[in-house]
Amino acid sequence: MSISVFKCITCNKEFDIQEIRYRCDCGELLEVIHDLQQVIPNPADLKVKLDGKWGEVAFKRYQDILFPSLPLEKLITLQEGNTPLYDVTPKFPQFNSLKLKHEGMNPTLSFKDRGMVAGVSWANHLGCDNVICASTGDTSAAMAAYAGATPNMKGIVLLPKGKISPEQLAQPISFGALTIGIETDFDGCMKLVQNLTEKHNIYLLNSMNSVRIEGQKAIGIETLHQLNWKVPDWFVIPVGNAGNISAIGKGFRELYELGFIDKLPRLAGIQTEGASPLYESFKNGYSELVPQTAKPTKASAIQIGDPVSYKKAIREIKQFDGVVEIVSETELMDWKAQIDRLGISICPNSSVAVAGAMKLNRDGIIKQNEEVVVILTAHGSKFSNTSVEYHKDKTYQFANQTLSITPNLETLESALGL
Ligand code: F0G
């Protein structure tokens, strides 16, 4: 076989990787399969070599595992990756170890850059002039940035009007994408973009494009590399359209096949109470997905009721002995405040995962002697209104209210209690 092929996740039919294709003829999602034995005949050698490559862009460092078919001269990178893995165990002794992988420290401040380096580079290789996505904010920012960095490529983004933060909206506009607000929710935008790309020659870069998923495998792979390939017991991940949990799981399976790791972590996917289709399915023994109209949540990036990558996600969660949990709005906002307070600025979607880890630990599903990594998916600065509103409201447990005084030394002294 050629190094990489598309393969249907249900009927196993294969397609040429050079084809522009997002689904099988049977309608199911595809995944990219690489002949890793051919690309990496000696995994032990590669493992040693990787240690000398920390100075390299993450996509290049792990390219043999991520997407070996991409010609390097087509790579469009904004220096994504090499994100910090914070050890916060001393603050949370209820865990044997708790580490936070901060994917908000990427160029457009979210983990989506990991996927776009693969997706936009592949679009560049295929010679696509127009790329498009539907988005709750972060995918559009990343796609617009990488399209902007590519010669002769135009980004088009479809956003649910009024449902994304001002900082998220500013990104695609500034990066030069055609930005279209639509009077619907994310699921509505997603349907439209699928219908459009079935008819017209515009390259789709949502996570149903399985090439993008290959780039996102780097999040888990890099974390394990930072841990010297010592596998923690759990990875906890916020879930919206369910592409990221699928990507991280696929990367781990490939590392296991290569013998880089000798055990698999468990996966925990976390959603909000009002947007919980994956949770409902999990609770009912992985019953069929029942699409929801997702309710508004502070975690607006995961306000998704009909996740496109549902089947892939379920497959990974089963394989990794995983669980799915939900958290309330108060839980996610209080945990955001507590992590922000440590100097680690996180978005409300990331704090869904933190709150989930805490809940699973409290309920005894994550045990006290276990090691846990939580994936933080975007930076707090993308959602500054959420923080300002929280801290204004003294009914919130961790609110840090601002003071407002007249320009007068005595008033200042009195405000400081001096
Ligand atoms: N966290 C953030 C910050 C996100 O932007 C998203 C998804 C997720 C978590 C969930 O990841 O969809 O792979 O399960 N945002 C998409 C977007 C939907 O359009 O930006 P997922």
Side-chain angles (χ1 to χ4, degrees):
M1 83 176 202
S2 73
I3 292 177
S4 314
V5 292
F6 288 121
K7 188 171 178 185
C8 174
I9 62 165
T10 303
C11 76
N12 291 330
K13 187 166 178 188
E14 293 188 2
F15 301 91
D16 188 339
I17 192 74
Q18 305 295 335
E19 225 185 290
I20 293 185
R21 176 176 269 284
Y22 318 107
R23 288 188 184 275
C24 179
D25 293 337
C26 75
E28 267 312 335
L29 292 178
L30 301 170
E31 66 178 339
V32 179
I33 302 290
H34 312 290
D35 184 348
L36 289 177
Q37 275 185 345
Q38 187 188 331
V39 186
I40 311 171
N42 192 337
D45 266 8
L46 176 65
K47 202 173 174 186
V48 173
K49 274 195 205 129
L50 287 180
D51 285 341
K53 293 192 172 183
W54 278 110
E56 218 166 60
V57 160
F59 183 85
K60 274 198 191 172
R61 185 166 62 242
Y62 304 120
Q63 195 195 351
D64 287 351
I65 313 171
L66 297 178
F67 199 50
S69 295
L70 179 78
L72 260 186
E73 69 272 15
K74 299 294 180 184
L75 181 69
I76 304 295
T77 171
L78 291 169
Q79 309 284 324
E80 59 295 316
N82 289 14
T83 55
L85 181 65
Y86 295 112
D87 187 353
V88 293
T89 317
K91 294 274 175 195
F92 303 102
Q94 64 270 43
F95 296 89
N96 181 7
S97 140
L98 180 63
K99 297 195 169 85
L100 308 178
K101 176 69 170 164
H102 203 338
E103 287 296 305
M105 304 290 268
N106 272 301
T108 73
L109 306 183
S110 92
F111 74 100
K112 303 287 182 180
D113 297 341
R114 302 282 201 159
M116 288 304 167
V117 62
V120 171
S121 297
W122 191 245
N124 187 33
H125 162 71
L126 296 172
C128 303
D129 302 327
N130 294 296
V131 293
I132 192 166
C133 67
S135 179
T136 53
D138 294 321
T139 299
S140 59
M143 192 198 76
Y146 284 76
T150 310
N152 308 316
M153 190 181 282
K154 181 80 186 165
I156 307 164
V157 309
L158 308 189
L159 301 170
K161 199 168 172 190
K163 295 192 172 73
I164 70 170
S165 78
E167 296 91 340
Q168 285 178 313
L169 178 61
Q171 286 184 299
I173 300 173
S174 335
F175 296 138
L178 174 60
T179 304
I180 306 174
I182 306 180
E183 307 265 359
T184 179
D185 55 9
F186 170 81
D187 299 298
C189 292
M190 194 65 228
K191 280 196 192 87
L192 260 180
V193 84
Q194 291 189 62
N195 292 341
L196 185 85
T197 50
E198 271 164 27
K199 263 184 92 176
H200 299 278
N201 186 18
I202 307 177
Y203 193 58
L204 176 65
L205 277 170
N206 277 99
S207 55
M208 65 176 279
N209 179 331
S210 48
V211 170
R212 218 193 83 192
I213 291 288
E214 294 307 288
Q216 280 175 218
K217 293 187 309 193
I219 299 167
I221 295 174
E222 185 178 280
T223 307
L224 290 184
H225 192 184
Q226 284 168 313
L227 293 171
N228 220 357
W229 308 110
K230 185 171 178 299
V231 181
D233 299 289
W234 289 91
F235 272 80
V236 186
I237 303 162
V239 174
N241 216 15
N244 205 30
I245 197 163
S246 313
I248 290 174
K250 182 172 191 281
F252 290 157
R253 279 192 283 118
E254 288 168 348
L255 286 181
Y256 189 75
E257 275 165 37
L258 286 167
F260 271 53
I261 54 175
D262 55 10
K263 78 165 207 190
L264 292 176
R266 294 181 72 184
L267 295 183
I270 317 293
Q271 303 200 293
T272 63
E273 282 175 350
S276 57
L278 195 70
Y279 171 75
E280 292 301 330
S281 163
F282 167 75
K283 225 178 42 178
N284 296 316
Y286 299 108
S287 60
E288 275 295 291
L289 174 76
V290 181
Q292 303 176 346
T293 301
K295 298 206 180 68
T297 160
K298 297 275 190 238
S300 55
I302 55 172
Q303 188 189 329
I304 296 176
D306 191 5
V308 167
S309 294
Y310 162 78
K311 282 204 174 149
K312 282 188 180 176
I314 288 293
R315 191 182 61 171
E316 300 302 345
I317 291 166
K318 280 186 192 165
Q319 165 108 25
F320 287 83
D321 190 17
V323 297
V324 186
E325 186 51 275
I326 47 170
V327 297
S328 71
E329 293 297 299
T330 308
E331 281 173 308
L332 77 92
M333 286 310 293
D334 281 348
W335 278 111
K336 171 171 158 47
Q338 290 173 84
I339 300 299
D340 284 345
R341 182 71 190 75
L342 304 176
I344 302 170
S345 177
I346 70 171
C347 77
N349 315 287
S350 307
S351 67
V352 165
V354 176
M358 299 299 168
K359 189 170 178 183
L360 290 170
N361 174 259
R362 203 185 53 213
D363 293 347
I365 295 163
I366 295 182
K367 310 266 175 339
Q368 199 162 3
N369 62 355
E370 290 189 312
E371 299 187 343
V372 179
V373 171
V374 177
I375 305 293
L376 306 176
T377 45
H379 199 278
S381 292
K382 279 198 157 194
F383 295 83
S384 53
N385 259 349
T386 316
S387 297
V388 172
E389 294 302 319
Y390 178 92
H391 290 289
K392 249 192 220 165
D393 183 347
K394 54 174 180 261
T395 62
Y396 277 119
Q397 201 182 343
F398 303 98
N400 176 23
Q401 289 189 289
T402 51
L403 301 177
S404 180
I405 60 164
T406 50
N408 174 299
L409 182 60
E410 274 139 44
T411 326
L412 176 59
E413 284 171 335
S414 127
L416 297 176
L418 300 172

Short mmCIF file of all heavy atoms in Angstrom, two decimals, residues 230-270:
data_model
loop_
_atom_site.label_atom_id
_atom_site.label_comp_id
_atom_site.label_asym_id
_atom_site.label_seq_id
_atom_site.Cartn_x
_atom_site.Cartn_y
_atom_site.Cartn_z
N LYS A 230 6.28 7.73 30.24
CA LYS A 230 5.65 7.06 31.38
C LYS A 230 4.15 7.42 31.32
O LYS A 230 3.79 8.60 31.47
CB LYS A 230 6.29 7.53 32.69
CG LYS A 230 5.77 6.78 33.88
CD LYS A 230 6.58 7.11 35.14
CE LYS A 230 6.02 6.40 36.36
NZ LYS A 230 4.65 6.74 36.72
N VAL A 231 3.34 6.42 31.10
CA VAL A 231 1.92 6.68 30.81
C VAL A 231 1.14 6.93 32.10
O VAL A 231 1.16 6.10 33.01
CB VAL A 231 1.32 5.45 30.07
CG1 VAL A 231 -0.14 5.68 29.72
CG2 VAL A 231 2.13 5.14 28.81
N PRO A 232 0.45 8.08 32.19
CA PRO A 232 -0.39 8.31 33.37
C PRO A 232 -1.62 7.41 33.34
O PRO A 232 -1.90 6.78 32.33
CB PRO A 232 -0.78 9.79 33.25
CG PRO A 232 -0.68 10.08 31.79
CD PRO A 232 0.37 9.17 31.21
N ASP A 233 -2.37 7.39 34.44
CA ASP A 233 -3.55 6.53 34.48
C ASP A 233 -4.71 7.10 33.67
O ASP A 233 -5.52 6.36 33.13
CB ASP A 233 -3.99 6.33 35.94
CG ASP A 233 -2.90 5.66 36.74
OD1 ASP A 233 -2.66 4.47 36.52
OD2 ASP A 233 -2.23 6.35 37.56
N TRP A 234 -4.78 8.44 33.63
CA TRP A 234 -5.94 9.09 32.99
C TRP A 234 -5.53 10.28 32.14
O TRP A 234 -4.64 11.04 32.53
CB TRP A 234 -6.88 9.65 34.07
CG TRP A 234 -7.63 8.64 34.85
CD1 TRP A 234 -7.24 8.07 36.03
CD2 TRP A 234 -8.92 8.10 34.54
NE1 TRP A 234 -8.21 7.22 36.47
CE2 TRP A 234 -9.26 7.21 35.57
CE3 TRP A 234 -9.82 8.29 33.49
CZ2 TRP A 234 -10.46 6.50 35.58
CZ3 TRP A 234 -11.02 7.59 33.49
CH2 TRP A 234 -11.33 6.71 34.53
N PHE A 235 -6.23 10.47 31.03
CA PHE A 235 -6.26 11.73 30.30
C PHE A 235 -7.69 12.24 30.35
O PHE A 235 -8.63 11.49 30.01
CB PHE A 235 -5.84 11.56 28.84
CG PHE A 235 -4.35 11.68 28.63
CD1 PHE A 235 -3.51 10.61 28.92
CD2 PHE A 235 -3.79 12.86 28.17
CE1 PHE A 235 -2.14 10.72 28.74
CE2 PHE A 235 -2.43 12.98 27.98
CZ PHE A 235 -1.59 11.91 28.27
N VAL A 236 -7.87 13.47 30.77
CA VAL A 236 -9.22 14.04 30.90
C VAL A 236 -9.35 15.17 29.86
O VAL A 236 -8.51 16.08 29.82
CB VAL A 236 -9.46 14.55 32.33
CG1 VAL A 236 -10.91 15.01 32.49
CG2 VAL A 236 -9.12 13.48 33.35
N ILE A 237 -10.41 15.10 29.05
CA ILE A 237 -10.50 15.93 27.84
C ILE A 237 -11.91 16.51 27.71
O ILE A 237 -12.90 15.76 27.82
CB ILE A 237 -10.20 15.04 26.60
CG1 ILE A 237 -8.82 14.38 26.74
CG2 ILE A 237 -10.28 15.85 25.29
CD1 ILE A 237 -8.61 13.18 25.84
N PRO A 238 -12.05 17.82 27.46
CA PRO A 238 -13.40 18.35 27.21
C PRO A 238 -13.88 17.92 25.83
O PRO A 238 -13.08 17.87 24.89
CB PRO A 238 -13.21 19.88 27.25
CG PRO A 238 -11.77 20.11 26.89
CD PRO A 238 -11.02 18.88 27.32
N VAL A 239 -15.17 17.63 25.70
CA VAL A 239 -15.69 17.10 24.43
C VAL A 239 -16.79 17.98 23.86
O VAL A 239 -17.75 18.32 24.56
CB VAL A 239 -16.24 15.66 24.63
CG1 VAL A 239 -16.90 15.17 23.34
CG2 VAL A 239 -15.13 14.70 25.02
N GLY A 240 -16.64 18.34 22.57
CA GLY A 240 -17.68 19.08 21.86
C GLY A 240 -18.10 18.28 20.64
O GLY A 240 -18.97 17.43 20.69
N ASN A 241 -17.39 18.53 19.52
CA ASN A 241 -17.67 17.80 18.29
C ASN A 241 -17.00 16.43 18.30
O ASN A 241 -17.14 15.65 17.38
CB ASN A 241 -17.19 18.64 17.10
CG ASN A 241 -18.09 18.52 15.90
OD1 ASN A 241 -19.22 18.06 15.99
ND2 ASN A 241 -17.59 18.91 14.75
N ALA A 242 -16.21 16.17 19.34
CA ALA A 242 -15.60 14.87 19.63
C ALA A 242 -14.43 14.48 18.73
O ALA A 242 -14.00 13.33 18.71
CB ALA A 242 -16.66 13.75 19.65
N GLY A 243 -13.86 15.46 18.03
CA GLY A 243 -12.68 15.18 17.20
C GLY A 243 -11.44 15.00 18.04
O GLY A 243 -10.61 14.11 17.78
N ASN A 244 -11.30 15.82 19.06
CA ASN A 244 -10.03 15.82 19.81
C ASN A 244 -9.83 14.53 20.60
O ASN A 244 -8.74 13.95 20.59
CB ASN A 244 -9.98 17.03 20.74
CG ASN A 244 -8.55 17.42 21.06
OD1 ASN A 244 -7.65 17.22 20.26
ND2 ASN A 244 -8.34 17.96 22.25
N ILE A 245 -10.87 14.06 21.26
CA ILE A 245 -10.72 12.82 22.04
C ILE A 245 -10.42 11.66 21.08
O ILE A 245 -9.62 10.77 21.40
CB ILE A 245 -11.95 12.57 22.94
CG1 ILE A 245 -11.60 11.54 24.02
CG2 ILE A 245 -13.19 12.16 22.15
CD1 ILE A 245 -12.58 11.52 25.19
N SER A 246 -11.01 11.71 19.88
CA SER A 246 -10.74 10.67 18.88
C SER A 246 -9.28 10.72 18.43
O SER A 246 -8.62 9.68 18.29
CB SER A 246 -11.62 10.85 17.64
OG SER A 246 -12.95 11.08 17.98
N ALA A 247 -8.78 11.94 18.23
CA ALA A 247 -7.40 12.11 17.76
C ALA A 247 -6.40 11.63 18.81
O ALA A 247 -5.45 10.89 18.50
CB ALA A 247 -7.14 13.58 17.44
N ILE A 248 -6.64 12.03 20.04
CA ILE A 248 -5.70 11.68 21.11
C ILE A 248 -5.68 10.16 21.29
O ILE A 248 -4.62 9.54 21.42
CB ILE A 248 -6.06 12.46 22.40
CG1 ILE A 248 -5.73 13.95 22.18
CG2 ILE A 248 -5.32 11.91 23.62
CD1 ILE A 248 -6.14 14.88 23.29
N GLY A 249 -6.85 9.54 21.24
CA GLY A 249 -6.93 8.08 21.36
C GLY A 249 -6.18 7.39 20.23
O GLY A 249 -5.41 6.46 20.45
N LYS A 250 -6.38 7.87 19.01
CA LYS A 250 -5.71 7.23 17.86
C LYS A 250 -4.19 7.32 18.01
O LYS A 250 -3.47 6.34 17.76
CB LYS A 250 -6.17 7.91 16.56
CG LYS A 250 -5.56 7.29 15.30
CD LYS A 250 -6.19 7.88 14.04
CE LYS A 250 -5.80 7.10 12.78
NZ LYS A 250 -4.48 7.40 12.25
N GLY A 251 -3.71 8.46 18.43
CA GLY A 251 -2.26 8.63 18.63
C GLY A 251 -1.72 7.64 19.65
O GLY A 251 -0.66 7.02 19.45
N PHE A 252 -2.45 7.44 20.72
CA PHE A 252 -1.99 6.50 21.76
C PHE A 252 -1.97 5.07 21.23
O PHE A 252 -1.06 4.31 21.52
CB PHE A 252 -2.90 6.56 22.99
CG PHE A 252 -2.76 7.85 23.78
CD1 PHE A 252 -3.79 8.28 24.62
CD2 PHE A 252 -1.61 8.61 23.71
CE1 PHE A 252 -3.68 9.45 25.35
CE2 PHE A 252 -1.48 9.79 24.44
CZ PHE A 252 -2.53 10.21 25.26
N ARG A 253 -3.00 4.73 20.45
CA ARG A 253 -3.03 3.36 19.89
C ARG A 253 -1.81 3.14 19.01
O ARG A 253 -1.19 2.07 19.04
CB ARG A 253 -4.31 3.15 19.08
CG ARG A 253 -5.50 2.82 19.94
CD ARG A 253 -6.66 2.32 19.11
NE ARG A 253 -7.37 3.38 18.42
CZ ARG A 253 -7.48 3.49 17.11
NH1 ARG A 253 -6.93 2.59 16.33
NH2 ARG A 253 -8.16 4.48 16.57
N GLU A 254 -1.46 4.16 18.24
CA GLU A 254 -0.31 4.01 17.34
C GLU A 254 1.01 3.91 18.13
O GLU A 254 1.89 3.13 17.78
CB GLU A 254 -0.30 5.15 16.31
CG GLU A 254 -1.44 4.95 15.30
CD GLU A 254 -1.73 6.14 14.41
OE1 GLU A 254 -1.22 7.25 14.68
OE2 GLU A 254 -2.50 5.98 13.46
N LEU A 255 1.11 4.70 19.19
CA LEU A 255 2.33 4.62 20.03
C LEU A 255 2.45 3.23 20.64
O LEU A 255 3.54 2.67 20.78
CB LEU A 255 2.27 5.64 21.17
CG LEU A 255 2.50 7.10 20.83
CD1 LEU A 255 2.43 7.95 22.10
CD2 LEU A 255 3.84 7.33 20.13
N TYR A 256 1.30 2.68 21.02
CA TYR A 256 1.28 1.34 21.63
C TYR A 256 1.72 0.29 20.60
O TYR A 256 2.55 -0.57 20.89
CB TYR A 256 -0.14 1.06 22.14
CG TYR A 256 -0.26 -0.18 22.98
CD1 TYR A 256 0.18 -0.21 24.29
CD2 TYR A 256 -0.84 -1.33 22.45
CE1 TYR A 256 0.07 -1.36 25.06
CE2 TYR A 256 -0.96 -2.49 23.20
CZ TYR A 256 -0.49 -2.50 24.51
OH TYR A 256 -0.60 -3.64 25.26
N GLU A 257 1.18 0.41 19.38
CA GLU A 257 1.56 -0.51 18.30
C GLU A 257 3.06 -0.44 18.02
O GLU A 257 3.70 -1.44 17.72
CB GLU A 257 0.85 -0.15 17.00
CG GLU A 257 -0.54 -0.74 16.86
CD GLU A 257 -1.31 -0.03 15.74
OE1 GLU A 257 -0.71 0.33 14.70
OE2 GLU A 257 -2.53 0.19 15.93
N LEU A 258 3.62 0.77 18.12
CA LEU A 258 5.05 0.95 17.85
C LEU A 258 5.92 0.48 19.01
O LEU A 258 7.14 0.43 18.89
CB LEU A 258 5.34 2.44 17.58
CG LEU A 258 4.90 3.00 16.23
CD1 LEU A 258 4.97 4.53 16.24
CD2 LEU A 258 5.77 2.45 15.11
N GLY A 259 5.29 0.22 20.14
CA GLY A 259 6.06 -0.19 21.32
C GLY A 259 6.69 0.98 22.07
O GLY A 259 7.57 0.78 22.92
N PHE A 260 6.25 2.21 21.78
CA PHE A 260 6.75 3.37 22.53
C PHE A 260 6.24 3.34 23.97
O PHE A 260 6.88 3.83 24.88
CB PHE A 260 6.26 4.68 21.89
CG PHE A 260 7.16 5.23 20.83
CD1 PHE A 260 7.57 4.45 19.77
CD2 PHE A 260 7.61 6.55 20.88
CE1 PHE A 260 8.40 4.96 18.78
CE2 PHE A 260 8.44 7.06 19.92
CZ PHE A 260 8.83 6.27 18.85
N ILE A 261 5.04 2.80 24.14
CA ILE A 261 4.43 2.72 25.48
C ILE A 261 3.95 1.29 25.71
O ILE A 261 3.64 0.57 24.75
CB ILE A 261 3.26 3.73 25.65
CG1 ILE A 261 2.21 3.56 24.52
CG2 ILE A 261 3.77 5.15 25.67
CD1 ILE A 261 0.97 4.43 24.68
N ASP A 262 3.90 0.89 26.98
CA ASP A 262 3.53 -0.50 27.23
C ASP A 262 2.18 -0.63 27.95
O ASP A 262 1.76 -1.72 28.33
CB ASP A 262 4.63 -1.23 28.01
CG ASP A 262 4.98 -0.49 29.29
OD1 ASP A 262 4.23 0.45 29.64
OD2 ASP A 262 6.00 -0.83 29.92
N LYS A 263 1.54 0.53 28.17
CA LYS A 263 0.16 0.45 28.67
C LYS A 263 -0.64 1.61 28.08
O LYS A 263 -0.04 2.57 27.57
CB LYS A 263 0.12 0.47 30.20
CG LYS A 263 0.32 1.82 30.85
CD LYS A 263 -0.10 1.79 32.33
CE LYS A 263 -0.53 3.16 32.79
NZ LYS A 263 -0.76 3.36 34.19
N LEU A 264 -1.94 1.49 28.14
CA LEU A 264 -2.79 2.57 27.63
C LEU A 264 -3.40 3.31 28.83
O LEU A 264 -3.78 2.68 29.82
CB LEU A 264 -3.90 2.01 26.75
CG LEU A 264 -3.46 1.38 25.42
CD1 LEU A 264 -4.66 0.79 24.69
CD2 LEU A 264 -2.78 2.41 24.53
N PRO A 265 -3.49 4.64 28.73
CA PRO A 265 -4.17 5.38 29.79
C PRO A 265 -5.68 5.18 29.66
O PRO A 265 -6.16 4.72 28.61
CB PRO A 265 -3.81 6.83 29.50
CG PRO A 265 -3.60 6.87 28.01
CD PRO A 265 -3.06 5.51 27.62
N ARG A 266 -6.44 5.54 30.68
CA ARG A 266 -7.90 5.60 30.52
C ARG A 266 -8.25 7.01 30.05
O ARG A 266 -7.52 7.95 30.33
CB ARG A 266 -8.59 5.27 31.85
CG ARG A 266 -8.35 3.84 32.28
CD ARG A 266 -9.06 3.52 33.59
NE ARG A 266 -10.50 3.42 33.40
CZ ARG A 266 -11.37 3.22 34.41
NH1 ARG A 266 -10.92 3.13 35.66
NH2 ARG A 266 -12.66 3.13 34.18
N LEU A 267 -9.35 7.11 29.31
CA LEU A 267 -9.79 8.42 28.82
C LEU A 267 -11.06 8.83 29.54
O LEU A 267 -11.95 8.00 29.76
CB LEU A 267 -10.09 8.38 27.32
CG LEU A 267 -8.94 8.12 26.35
CD1 LEU A 267 -9.46 8.20 24.90
CD2 LEU A 267 -7.80 9.10 26.54
N ALA A 268 -11.14 10.11 29.90
CA ALA A 268 -12.40 10.65 30.43
C ALA A 268 -12.80 11.83 29.56
O ALA A 268 -12.03 12.78 29.40
CB ALA A 268 -12.23 11.08 31.88
N GLY A 269 -13.97 11.75 28.97
CA GLY A 269 -14.51 12.86 28.18
C GLY A 269 -15.50 13.63 29.03
O GLY A 269 -16.35 13.02 29.68
N ILE A 270 -15.40 14.97 29.02
CA ILE A 270 -16.28 15.74 29.90
C ILE A 270 -17.11 16.74 29.07
O ILE A 270 -16.58 17.41 28.19
CB ILE A 270 -15.47 16.53 30.97
CG1 ILE A 270 -14.34 15.66 31.59
CG2 ILE A 270 -16.41 17.06 32.06
CD1 ILE A 270 -14.77 14.49 32.42
#
